Amino acid sequence: MQKENNLAKLGFGAMRLPLTNENNPSSIDMNEFTQMVDYYLSQGFNYFDTSYAYHNEKSENALKEALVERYPRQSYRIADKIPTWLLTKEEDNDRLVNVMLDRLSIDYFDVLLIHNINESSIKNAKKAKSFEYIEKVKKEGKAIKVGISFHDKAQLLEEILEEYSHILDIVQLQLNYLDWEDYRVQSQKCYDLCEKYDIEVTVMEPIKGGTLVNIADSVRQQFIQYDKSKSLASWALRFAASHKNVSIVLSGMNNLDEIKENCETFTNSEKLSQEDYNFLMDMADEIRKTVSISCSYCGYCVKECPMNIPIPDFFNLYNSDKIYSLNANYALYSATASSNNPASSCIKCEKCMENCTQHLNISELLENVANHFER
């Protein structure tokens, strides 16, 4: 945690874009998004991260409209991801990649990742020979760098790196100060493996889906007392960016103000000191005492749910109400449940849990949510 070096670069995550209808992930607000792209580029940043799946498969099209059709190709970098859950055979890799290139209207990726690698999805990737495929497309010039986005424990990552580190340039990791020593996510252990194998790291969920800015007042006051000049978001981003092998820190920004604040952080801030690092470890302990469900709100569970329960929305409301109990939280729960399905409709099939990046017992937690809001 040295101060003399610059921070890693800020990446624009196209997973939580502004919407014209908050209940429809496909309704991307292109006017707002275009302004955000313009400002981000004007500040000297150029890395955009998307996926086949984001925004109900509309994120790539939105990037095409706001970025690709308006700026020269050499002025930006695009990272995209092959969806492991759609892989059934070797030919699927090329089919999906061609769809991704077409949606973006580009002829190569700056970074191509195999998406959401975990204990379950690695079987699909190996069956479809996706690791061999990304090695091939790199040689062909369809991708400049290749890698994986990883959502599991360190033991699996070490097995993957032992077998495929000669292929992988990048591992995209969930890395934030709350998960750094977490026994489920194991951010530090996974990061240390990337250093061991000399693999570049791009960071996802540096603010843990907003958890690290939506904290209890008691914890917020401790941040203010330590250094009132820095925002909660900047603390989280600087933690992620202060590690040697981290090259990009992605932030899923959904309005122009967030873009401006994050660009400011990466333009004028320094890496953490050892004192700062120790403070954040203490704050992580304090936050764990107040956050009931350690959800990153990625949404991967929802696409597996046969009951179409909006799991992240309910977990977010539950966490919020545990910190600030408000009638509005109950009203919003009722409205969300009536237009979707309530938490009590869970049939405990546990399909969602196979794709949970936080390894949560979702079925059990939905019972807690139902007991809290539906009583």
Side-chain angles (χ1 to χ4, degrees):
M1 301 298 162
Q2 300 173 354
K3 278 196 170 185
E4 62 267 19
N5 298 321
N6 292 329
L7 293 174
K9 297 296 183 183
L10 173 66
F12 195 140
M15 180 182 177
R16 297 184 176 98
L17 300 178
L19 303 174
T20 58
N21 178 355
E22 64 180 17
N23 295 315
N24 179 8
S26 301
S27 66
I28 298 169
D29 185 335
M30 289 307 304
N31 181 55
E32 177 89 0
F33 179 39
T34 299
Q35 292 181 58
M36 292 164 67
V37 167
D38 290 346
Y39 185 86
Y40 172 79
L41 288 170
S42 75
Q43 299 305 297
F45 304 103
N46 68 359
Y47 189 98
F48 295 85
D49 175 270
T50 186
S51 156
Y52 183 99
Y54 294 167
H55 284 278
N56 289 351
E57 302 185 16
K58 297 299 182 185
S59 174
E60 292 159 325
N61 296 111
L63 266 180
K64 172 185 174 180
E65 183 177 337
L67 175 69
V68 176
E69 294 181 342
R70 300 175 58 246
Y71 288 91
R73 181 66 181 92
Q74 66 273 18
S75 66
Y76 57 83
R77 294 178 288 163
I78 290 181
D80 208 342
K81 308 182 193 73
I82 303 171
T84 48
W85 55 92
L86 296 179
L87 294 172
T88 59
K89 56 186 181 299
E90 191 171 348
E91 293 75 19
D92 288 336
N93 294 293
D94 210 42
R95 175 179 61 81
L96 292 166
V97 161
N98 285 334
V99 170
M100 292 152 58
L101 289 169
D102 183 64
R103 287 176 179 174
L104 287 161
S105 192
I106 58 178
D107 54 14
Y108 71 93
F109 304 102
D110 297 276
V111 176
L112 178 63
L113 304 176
I114 308 171
H115 199 178
N116 192 28
I117 290 294
N118 57 36
E119 195 70 51
S120 175
S121 65
I122 188 68
K123 299 170 186 175
N124 287 1
K126 287 191 171 185
K127 180 181 178 181
K129 297 185 177 179
S130 296
F131 289 92
E132 292 80 3
Y133 176 78
I134 60 174
E135 182 179 30
K136 178 175 74 76
V137 297
K138 181 180 176 181
K139 289 177 180 176
E140 294 172 348
K142 278 189 177 180
I144 295 175
K145 292 184 178 181
V146 296
I148 60 173
S149 69
F150 185 76
H151 293 278
D152 215 314
K153 294 185 179 180
Q155 181 178 342
L156 177 61
L157 180 59
E158 184 159 28
E159 292 171 6
I160 291 170
L161 295 181
E162 185 66 28
E163 186 172 0
Y164 297 113
S165 62
H166 66 287
I167 293 173
L168 304 176
D169 302 301
I170 291 173
V171 172
Q172 189 159 301
L173 287 178
Q174 177 170 315
L175 193 159
N176 56 69
Y177 67 83
L178 188 60
D179 291 326
W180 191 242
E181 297 177 349
D182 187 90
Y183 75 95
R184 292 168 303 202
V185 183
Q186 298 184 341
S187 286
Q188 182 176 17
K189 289 182 178 180
C190 289
Y191 172 79
D192 287 346
L193 283 169
C194 292
E195 273 204 6
K196 174 183 175 181
Y197 286 87
D198 196 24
I199 301 289
E200 181 182 343
V201 173
T202 58
V203 172
M204 55 187 161
E205 302 294 356
I207 306 177
K208 201 172 172 67
T211 298
L212 299 181
V213 294
N214 299 312
I215 60 176
D217 280 342
S218 59
V219 184
R220 188 185 303 271
Q221 286 304 314
Q222 293 183 66
F223 276 95
I224 293 171
Q225 290 170 11
Y226 184 81
D227 187 342
K228 65 182 180 181
S229 70
K230 293 183 174 63
S231 70
L232 294 172
S234 72
W235 277 113
L237 293 170
R238 288 171 60 231
F239 177 85
S242 292
H243 296 89
K244 181 176 71 173
N245 276 39
V246 170
S247 60
I248 294 289
V249 176
L250 298 169
S251 181
M253 301 166 283
N254 59 23
N255 60 61
L256 191 56
D257 288 341
E258 288 183 3
I259 282 276
K260 290 179 177 179
E261 179 183 345
N262 291 351
C263 287
E264 170 71 15
T265 294
F266 280 80
T267 300
N268 296 315
S269 295
E270 297 173 315
K271 290 187 175 184
L272 298 180
S273 66
Q274 188 61 50
E275 183 182 1
D276 293 338
Y277 172 84
N278 294 339
F279 170 71
L280 288 180
M281 292 300 99
D282 290 341
M283 291 304 96
D285 290 338
E286 293 298 312
I287 292 169
R288 286 189 196 98
K289 297 174 185 176
T290 65
V291 175
S292 300
I293 302 177
S294 186
C295 176
S296 68
Y297 314 113
C298 66
Y300 293 147
C301 55
V302 177
K303 63 179 172 41
E304 299 297 331
C305 178
M307 302 305 293
N308 295 314
I309 300 171
I311 299 166
D313 293 346
F314 288 161
F315 285 176
N316 180 262
L317 280 171
Y318 185 83
N319 282 336
S320 297
D321 204 64
K322 286 294 185 178
I323 297 173
Y324 307 108
S325 186
L326 301 170
N327 289 334
N329 292 330
Y330 285 81
L332 186 53
Y333 176 84
S334 296
T336 305
S338 64
S339 59
N340 296 276
N341 270 315
S344 58
S345 65
C346 174
I347 59 174
K348 296 181 171 57
C349 67
E350 299 189 350
K351 291 181 180 179
C352 56
M353 292 161 61
E354 294 179 4
N355 286 281
C356 178
T357 62
Q358 310 304 302
H359 313 291
L360 301 175
N361 189 331
I362 295 175
S363 298
E364 182 179 301
L365 292 170
L366 283 173
E367 280 192 39
N368 295 342
V369 172
N371 290 335
H372 183 80
F373 285 111
E374 298 177 35
R375 61 194 176 192

